[in-house]
Amino acid sequence: MECLPRSRPSLPQKRILPPSPRSEGSATPLEATRHILVVRTDLEGRFTYANRAYLEYMGLERLPLGDFALDQVEPADRPRVAEVVQQALARPGEAFWVEFGKPRPGVAWSRSRWEFVAVCDPAGRPVELQCSGYDISDEYRQDCFRQEMTDLLAATLTTGAGNPPVALLRRVLEAALRIVPAAQAGSVTLRGPDGRFHFVAAEGYDLEALSRVSLDPAEPLSLSRHIQARIFGAEDLARFNARIDPQRRAVLEGVGKAGRIQAMLSVPVVVRGEVRAYLYLDHFGRADAFDALDLRHAEVLAYHLALVLEKEDLHQRAEHLRRHDPQTGLANLALLLETLLAPRSAGGRALLALRLPDLERLEELYGPQWRVTVVQTVGRRILEGVRLGDLLAWDGRRFWLLLDGVDEPREALPVVERLRQSLAQPIPNLASPTTPPAVGIALASPQTPPEELLQQAEVALSQAAPGQAVFFEASLQQALLEEQWLVEALYRAISRRRPSAERGELRLYFQPVLELAGGRPVHLEALLRWRHPHRGLIPPGRFIPLAERQGWMAELGDWTIAQAAQASAAWGIPVAVNLSALQLGPGLPEAVAAHCREAGIGPQRLILEVTEGLALEPAAMGVLQALAERGHPLHLDDFGSGYSSLEQLTRLPIRAVKLGQGFLRDLGEDPLPNSPTARVLAAVRSLGEGLGLEVIVEGIETETQHRYLLAQGFRLGQGYWLGRPQSARKTARRLELLI
């Protein structure tokens, strides 16, 4: 069964049949029926009879004898009815069926199905037309509804996800006008990214004009304070429109014909408790044009649309997650690569790789959520300093910033400088400043493959120190290969290390801390060294940063503590170990205690050294306090090179401070007691004595420095002049001579 067509063809102007000789008002048993509609006409098409059911159906008190029956047919259906009449008269005695609408008082729309049969006289000549019918309005609407919903479902399943919601809403509006045939026009509003409702589809209105109007969710026409289908009348619309500004009201009452609408069926589309769209169906003739079935059909259509929109939301979220980091919301490498692969106009581009040296340390100290917060804060600051079209991505370890329109290195330098300034600002709730980022920069033409551009930026980054920006050059490739070799060799060395400090590539060296007056060793400092079979001794400045970037320092630090505890037990002297940021987690105190128990030493025999910046982290201070309460001496390394204040110094559970080597370098080879550095040294010694702290001077490399410090009252020192770091075997022999 086809749905009611929207077009209305014109009626042919002609008479149907010659006059019928049948008498008026013949009696018939069909008067008793309540649902079968019976009408007879003469051959000219004038009424000669109608039963009571028909009169009630049409709202008539009596039959208008002599009127043309075709006048009680909807104009759009008259040509089709006339054609069926002609077929019935041409073939008397046969039944011909036709469906059409009839204008009924008090009813906005109706549909009925009729059987036309030509009645003949004894000679076999047609003398009248008998029409029997019944109302199919509800059945017709149900069939239309089922057909449209089936078509919509099929379209949804075949097109798949990722369809623009606007195209879907336009199709839904077309289906709604067929499902609710009383509707004479309609429109759809969709909630946009700005949170306002915008007209995106219209039938019977100028969509281009309506699209210039948007409605706030708090405004009555967009929400009408309802989440179910409702019918509004002309007074409601007038009251709603009176509450918005004159400019939009003029559009709605002009091209939107709001002043002519007598009934509006407003259908909200609710997705997860939020109204996402509104479907409006309008009738210009009657306030009671829509009935309960119209509301039910429109609501079911809205439910279907809500499911489709939710499906689209899920698809969009999945696509967003595919291209963005789920924790920080920043673009990921997938989106960066898609952007690099996308066609673009001529011109160069720059790719910046940024590494934050403190991220791993912050995660260890504050937990993974703090790391996410720092990444989000840094990402926000980076975006504040770049153009709107520049792309910032995060791959879990580093930031990537893609700049278009950069042809020369000098054009990227202002961006780098802005990044330095913005990232130099303290991060809220972080006790100490973060280390400035390292930046690697690669320049490329539109023909540069994306993978090559990323590799070049990574090569430049691998050579950049914190706070430094390095541009890629071909010579850096060799440096990257060297670093890759070091990483692989260090991994093998860590995998092959042995419990003994004298075996394997990784081992501990020991440097004594002596009494300056008599040369007696007070304790030893354990220093990690790597001796490669073919490359010899590799400086700690080369492999320690590599181990930190690879996340191996926690494991190496634990091994170092275990070896230091064993050395202290063997030699009967305290041993100091430097703690890295990655070790200062909640489990460190118990791990250190376990190593001491295994070695059979007390906590006072294992000294733990930390730098100023590390010791002042709030999370680190709690761990250090726990270690001090267990009896481990804590020493503050490189004192004077960090950010300590006297107030902070008094809160730390430390027993000694080690003056950084810079103090002695500033003193020179022939120290002068009245120089600024000499006065600072004297003040620090007095400060340490006042606080009950030992003061250890590092970097003593000449006899002159040794004598000067001794004369100034310093008690403890460390340096090449007093003793170089040596292997465990040589350290044991040295201790036999010194003790």
Side-chain angles (χ1 to χ4, degrees), residues 164-247:
V166 171
L168 174 66
L169 290 172
R170 288 172 180 168
R171 181 164 187 164
V172 167
L173 176 59
E174 294 171 358
L177 289 171
R178 290 190 288 267
I179 289 173
V180 184
Q184 297 173 331
S187 59
V188 179
T189 59
L190 177 67
R191 191 165 188 168
D194 58 358
R196 298 175 66 83
F197 285 88
H198 301 262
F199 285 92
V200 295
E203 288 286 338
Y205 301 114
D206 183 350
L207 177 59
E208 183 179 355
L210 285 178
S211 64
R212 295 195 293 268
V213 174
S214 66
L215 300 160
D216 188 89
E219 291 176 334
L221 186 57
S222 61
L223 279 183
S224 303
R225 305 189 184 279
H226 67 289
I227 59 172
Q228 292 181 325
R230 284 186 59 184
I231 298 173
F232 296 96
E235 293 182 359
D236 298 319
L237 297 180
R239 186 169 62 254
F240 294 160
N241 291 337
R243 296 168 59 182
I244 62 176
D245 56 85
Q247 292 78 11

Side-chain angles (χ1 to χ4, degrees), residues 420 438-442 457 459-461 463-465 468-473 476:
R420 281 176 177 161
V439 183
I441 309 172
V459 170
L461 178 63
Q463 305 303 308
Q468 183 182 19
V470 173
F471 284 88
F472 171 80
E473 297 177 0
L476 294 178

Side-chain angles (χ1 to χ4, degrees), residues 57-375:
Y57 179 74
M58 295 299 298
L60 300 174
E61 290 294 330
R62 63 181 184 84
L63 181 67
L65 293 174
D67 286 0
F68 286 103
L70 204 59
D71 291 340
Q72 293 187 7
V73 175
E74 288 285 356
D77 296 329
R78 290 173 186 173
R80 180 164 42 180
V81 173
E83 181 181 354
V84 172
V85 168
Q86 292 173 357
Q87 292 173 353
L89 293 175
R91 299 165 65 179
E94 293 188 28
F96 293 86
W97 289 88
V98 63
E99 295 175 6
F100 54 87
K102 296 181 74 65
R104 299 163 57 197
V107 178
W109 180 90
S110 70
R111 195 77 170 171
S112 52
R113 191 162 192 253
W114 293 81
E115 177 194 63
F116 285 13
V117 177
V119 180
C120 298
D121 61 12
R125 292 173 299 181
V127 294
E128 67 177 356
L129 191 69
Q130 179 169 298
C131 309
S132 304
Y134 56 92
D135 185 63
I136 62 167
S137 299
D138 289 351
E139 291 82 355
Y140 180 87
R141 287 191 287 170
Q142 293 282 20
D143 284 345
C144 282
F145 173 75
R146 284 190 291 268
Q147 178 180 323
E148 294 296 336
M149 293 303 297
T150 301
D151 292 344
L152 279 176
L153 180 60
T156 303
L157 294 176
T158 55
T159 55
N163 294 309
V166 171
L168 174 66
L169 290 172
R170 288 172 180 168
R171 181 164 187 164
V172 167
L173 176 59
E174 294 171 358
L177 289 171
R178 290 190 288 267
I179 289 173
V180 184
Q184 297 173 331
S187 59
V188 179
T189 59
L190 177 67
R191 191 165 188 168
D194 58 358
R196 298 175 66 83
F197 285 88
H198 301 262
F199 285 92
V200 295
E203 288 286 338
Y205 301 114
D206 183 350
L207 177 59
E208 183 179 355
L210 285 178
S211 64
R212 295 195 293 268
V213 174
S214 66
L215 300 160
D216 188 89
E219 291 176 334
L221 186 57
S222 61
L223 279 183
S224 303
R225 305 189 184 279
H226 67 289
I227 59 172
Q228 292 181 325
R230 284 186 59 184
I231 298 173
F232 296 96
E235 293 182 359
D236 298 319
L237 297 180
R239 186 169 62 254
F240 294 160
N241 291 337
R243 296 168 59 182
I244 62 176
D245 56 85
Q247 292 78 11
R248 289 182 296 166
R249 185 166 64 249
V251 174
L252 293 177
E253 293 180 348
V255 297
K257 306 176 185 177
R260 294 174 48 198
I261 297 173
Q262 298 301 307
M264 171 185 282
L265 175 53
S266 176
V267 191
V269 180
V270 182
V271 180
R272 294 189 304 277
E274 179 187 76
V275 178
R276 290 282 304 281
Y278 275 94
L279 169 66
Y280 300 115
L281 301 176
D282 306 325
H283 189 85
F284 300 104
R286 298 183 53 83
D288 57 353
F290 304 112
D291 58 18
L293 185 60
D294 293 328
L295 265 71
R296 282 202 304 275
H297 285 170
E299 284 187 337
V300 174
L301 183 63
Y303 295 151
H304 174 81
L305 180 56
L307 291 175
V308 175
L309 290 178
E310 185 169 15
K311 175 185 172 184
E312 291 301 314
D313 287 349
L314 292 174
H315 174 76
Q316 292 177 10
R317 283 200 293 272
E319 286 298 299
H320 184 273
L321 288 175
R322 189 177 70 82
R323 295 181 175 91
H324 293 80
D325 177 65
Q327 289 185 311
T328 63
L330 296 172
N332 59 15
L333 277 183
L335 181 54
L336 176 62
L337 287 171
E338 286 182 13
T339 306
L340 289 171
L341 286 168
R344 55 186 297 270
S345 58
R349 63 191 352 168
L351 181 62
L352 281 64
L354 296 87
R355 183 181 64 246
L356 298 179
D358 290 336
L359 272 186
E360 296 299 330
R361 175 174 64 88
L362 293 173
E363 183 172 9
E364 287 292 324
L365 293 177
Y366 300 101
Q369 187 53 47
W370 177 257
R371 184 173 186 266
V372 172
T373 301
V374 172
V375 171

